[in-house]
Amino acid sequence: MMIICGHHQKVDYQENGEGAYDLAFLPRGKRMAGTGSFSEILDGENNVYKYYSEGEWRKSVSGKSVAIVNPTTRKTQYKVQACSQAEVNKVMEAAKIAQKAWAKTPLWKRAELLHKAAAILKEHKHPIAECLVKEIAKPAKDSVTEVVRSGDLISYCAEEGVRILGQGTFLVSDSFPGNERTKYCLASKVPLGVVLAIPPFNYPVNLAVSKIAPALIAGNSIVLKPPTQGAVSCLHMVHCFHLAGFPKSLINCVTGKGSEIGDFLTMHPGVNCISFTGGDTGISISKKAGMIPLQMELGGKDACIVLEDADLDLAAANIVKGGLSYSGQRCTAVKIVLVMESVADALMEKVNAKVAKLTVGPPEEDCDITPVVSESSANFIEGLVMDAKEKGATFCQTYKREGNLIWPLLLDNVRADMRIAWEEPFGPVLPVIRIGSVEEGINHCNASNFGLQGCVFTKDINKAMIISDAMETGTVQINSAPARGPDHFPFQGLKDSGIGSQGITNSINMMVKVKSTVINLPTASYTMG
Ligand code: G3H
């Protein structure tokens, strides 16, 4: 029996007549999205959030807006500006000019401003968390955690940038055959220019700053295109950078319809780098983008292999947390369990016992399972569940859905002919395949188009290492669920899961190019000491 959060038997909201809903989850005095320090980002007359260009909060001349639907209430929660292509052009031009001056700003000063922005962001964690709860139905505590984690990421990035960007390489020519010591090469890291940052809905703040902070410390300017769902959280976060006092036009944020400005942005000649996190749209962006560096993370079908000697309590805890936190809407969620047949019954008993304790309901009440981001997402998940049902999967719980809220569901005895064996539900539905050998598990993992992360549960570190080497994924976690963090660890996907490597250090290095100056001497010169 699943627990329904708090007193709610079903999701039931009181509208106050102005499109605002019960905010009881926030401490008193902290209900501030769009008010107080944030009042200038909202066009109060029309109740539409403004976009950020040339250091100012502006209304689009299009006069149009994009509605953001609250996943829980399924009513319009916020509206943002529908920017035009002409407004994008203006932002690009200004960002290009601002970047030139920023590249000449001393590294320590860039770091100082980033530390300031991090502190302001953390100070405003409650109003930003409020937006996350309302826009993407992230549980209240996780929403606060996302903002705090983002502040920490910015600060770490500032410090890492000071360390690694202050260093270059010094090479001498006589190590290569045919050369005497007549050439000294000084290689340093210089900015790329304008970085286009496109974060996804599930971490609109954190995955935006994981692009913005490395770009800025490396001397680049930023054009941010937030996801529609999550845009208001992003705008609040950008305002924290504004309050920190970054030069105007260095950071810009345009909102609008993908159909109007999506391709226009990604194919814009003013863009020098794209950092994108999201779904397979990234594949089409990579085909259309020009000859510029791309950083992409496009999801995963992370496998969890459980061996006969695994600590089953540990595996069960990680399967439930890794597979179902934020209702499975994480690229690094456990998306398929591959368990050895001999321990499958015992594992499933433990997993199902934990699933029964999960709370289901609104994000305001900090439930474990909250509504998925949109109706179309819920319909997609339902399609996968129905396909598995028709093909004979064992339902460990009864399938239940109310609006966008889907109760957690484990599907046992899944087979390779079921869509759920291969597709990412991005919802609280987790398939389990019983395997007869480790090779079977590895083969299933490697047959996927994705290759983000995977995990293996075993007490034998030697076996774990062999399996890790055999799994074609960017990361393998031994005895823990897949996860991106800590945020300075390298984070990368193989195959359709992405291009390049992220994590603070790798992102900074990705957002620079190497520039060499070679000193040519008339005669060879050797240091004799
Ligand atoms: O959704 C994609 C994120 O990169 C996953 O991050 O492992 O911290 O949840 P996470």
Side-chain angles (χ1 to χ4, degrees):
M1 182 64 186
M2 230 76 70
I3 298 167
I4 311 294
C5 265
H7 59 274
H8 287 272
Q9 281 307 305
K10 79 193 220 338
V11 182
D12 184 16
Y13 281 82
Q14 294 298 313
E15 195 173 348
N16 69 8
E18 292 162 354
Y21 297 87
D22 179 20
L23 296 174
F25 70 98
L26 279 173
R28 217 156 254 301
K30 304 259 169 93
R31 303 166 194 175
M32 293 192 305
T35 67
S37 328
F38 296 105
S39 52
E40 68 176 293
I41 77 171
L42 180 67
D43 165 16
E45 203 181 313
N46 301 302
N47 215 18
V48 182
Y49 279 91
K50 299 178 192 168
Y51 77 105
Y52 188 60
S53 165
E54 297 180 90
E56 286 175 11
W57 290 98
R58 294 182 169 168
K59 296 189 236 176
S60 169
V61 291
S62 74
K64 292 185 201 149
S65 63
V66 179
I68 297 168
V69 175
N70 180 322
T72 312
T73 63
R74 295 191 289 155
K75 291 184 179 165
T76 296
Q77 180 74 43
Y78 302 122
K79 283 186 240 162
V80 292
Q81 308 291 324
C83 291
S84 66
Q85 295 186 353
E87 283 160 338
V88 168
N89 276 337
K90 206 154 186 221
V91 155
M92 287 293 175
E93 240 169 75
K96 190 173 179 174
I97 296 166
Q99 189 272 326
K100 303 281 179 218
W102 181 243
K104 291 181 192 152
T105 304
L107 196 46
W108 67 266
K109 272 196 184 169
R110 293 184 214 159
E112 200 174 68
L113 275 171
L114 281 167
H115 280 303
K116 205 168 163 194
I120 295 171
L121 187 74
K122 284 181 166 179
E123 202 181 301
H124 293 97
K125 60 182 186 280
H126 288 299
I128 302 176
E130 176 193 329
C131 301
L132 291 168
V133 166
K134 298 298 178 191
E135 283 187 294
I136 62 164
K138 184 167 276 195
K141 277 191 195 142
D142 292 350
S143 294
V144 173
T145 304
E146 174 171 346
V147 183
V148 174
R149 174 182 178 181
S150 302
D152 292 340
L153 191 158
I154 297 169
S155 290
Y156 192 104
C157 204
E159 291 180 23
E160 184 72 343
V162 165
R163 279 193 289 271
I164 66 175
L165 295 167
Q167 292 177 358
T169 321
F170 171 61
L171 299 162
V172 289
S173 51
D174 65 329
S175 52
F176 198 87
N179 286 276
E180 289 188 288
R181 197 174 159 118
T182 53
K183 292 172 187 288
Y184 294 167
C185 175
L186 305 170
S188 60
K189 293 166 187 169
V190 298
L192 296 174
V194 179
V195 174
L196 174 62
I198 310 181
F201 82 83
N202 62 345
Y203 284 93
V205 174
N206 185 263
L207 284 170
V209 303
S210 75
K211 303 168 192 315
I212 294 171
L216 291 178
I217 193 68
N220 300 289
S221 60
I222 277 285
V223 174
L224 173 68
K225 165 67 179 75
T228 299
Q229 218 94 21
V232 174
S233 314
C234 269
L235 293 168
H236 281 74
M237 173 272 293
V238 167
H239 193 54
C240 296
F241 282 83
H242 172 83
L243 294 173
F246 278 87
K248 80 175 191 168
S249 302
L250 188 69
I251 304 162
N252 307 274
C253 184
V254 287
T255 52
K257 290 198 164 78
S259 54
E260 172 73 12
I261 57 168
D263 278 356
F264 191 74
L265 273 163
T266 54
M267 295 165 74
H268 200 285
V271 171
N272 304 110
C273 168
I274 301 176
S275 178
F276 175 91
T277 306
D280 52 16
T281 313
I283 297 177
S284 56
I285 291 176
S286 71
K287 288 181 181 148
K288 291 179 204 162
M291 218 170 66
I292 55 171
L294 300 177
Q295 184 182 52
M296 303 230 157
E297 196 268 276
L298 312 179
K301 182 73 182 168
D302 294 4
C304 172
I305 301 180
V306 184
L307 302 195
E308 280 151 329
D309 69 345
D311 175 339
L312 295 182
D313 288 308
L314 180 70
N318 276 276
I319 287 167
V320 173
K321 188 164 186 288
L324 300 172
S325 53
Y326 188 34
S327 307
Q329 296 173 110
R330 298 165 51 240
C331 355
T332 49
V334 169
K335 298 213 180 89
I336 183 125
V337 177
L338 301 157
V339 54
M340 291 295 286
E341 179 65 64
S342 58
V343 290
D345 285 342
L347 178 75
M348 290 311 288
E349 199 182 316
K350 289 177 191 293
V351 170
N352 286 323
K354 287 185 188 299
V355 170
K357 290 189 184 142
L358 295 175
T359 55
V360 181
E364 287 83 350
E365 294 188 16
D366 204 37
C367 292
D368 299 310
I369 304 294
T370 54
V372 296
V373 72
S374 64
E375 192 173 342
S376 64
S377 176
N379 291 345
F380 176 77
I381 297 161
E382 186 162 293
L384 293 179
V385 171
M386 292 310 143
D387 175 77
K389 188 176 183 185
E390 272 164 35
K391 291 173 183 161
T394 306
F395 279 48
C396 300
Q397 293 78 23
T398 309
Y399 173 67
K400 189 174 169 194
R401 171 182 171 185
E402 274 175 20
N404 296 348
L405 185 62
I406 293 178
W407 269 249
L409 176 62
L410 266 286
L411 297 172
D412 200 353
N413 297 305
V414 162
R415 293 186 324 262
D417 63 334
M418 298 176 191
R419 286 175 56 203
I420 192 95
W422 305 104
E423 294 179 44
E424 249 197 312
F426 235 67
V429 178
L430 188 51
V432 180
I433 294 183
R434 294 171 176 235
I435 52 174
S437 68
V438 175
E439 290 68 33
E440 212 183 303
I442 294 169
N443 289 343
H444 186 92
C445 166
N446 291 351
S448 171
N449 288 341
F450 290 111
L452 189 60
Q453 293 207 357
C455 62
V456 53
F457 286 86
T458 171
K459 290 185 187 129
D460 185 336
I461 188 67
N462 299 325
K463 268 193 214 158
M465 283 309 300
I466 289 167
I467 293 169
S468 169
D469 285 342
M471 285 170 85
E472 292 168 8
T473 60
T475 302
V476 175
Q477 304 268 352
I478 297 170
N479 292 325
S480 186
R484 173 167 47 110
D487 290 333
H488 64 306
F489 280 14
F491 179 54
Q492 56 281 315
L494 308 183
K495 300 187 265 185
D496 286 354
S497 285
I499 303 174
S501 180
Q502 303 182 43
I504 291 171
T505 313
N506 286 348
S507 290
I508 296 172
N509 281 325
M510 183 267 170
M511 290 177 185
V512 291
K513 57 193 162 200
V514 175
K515 168 77 190 277
S516 300
T517 299
V518 180
I519 301 166
N520 290 275
L521 302 174
T523 52
S525 172
Y526 292 88
T527 314
M528 290 307 169

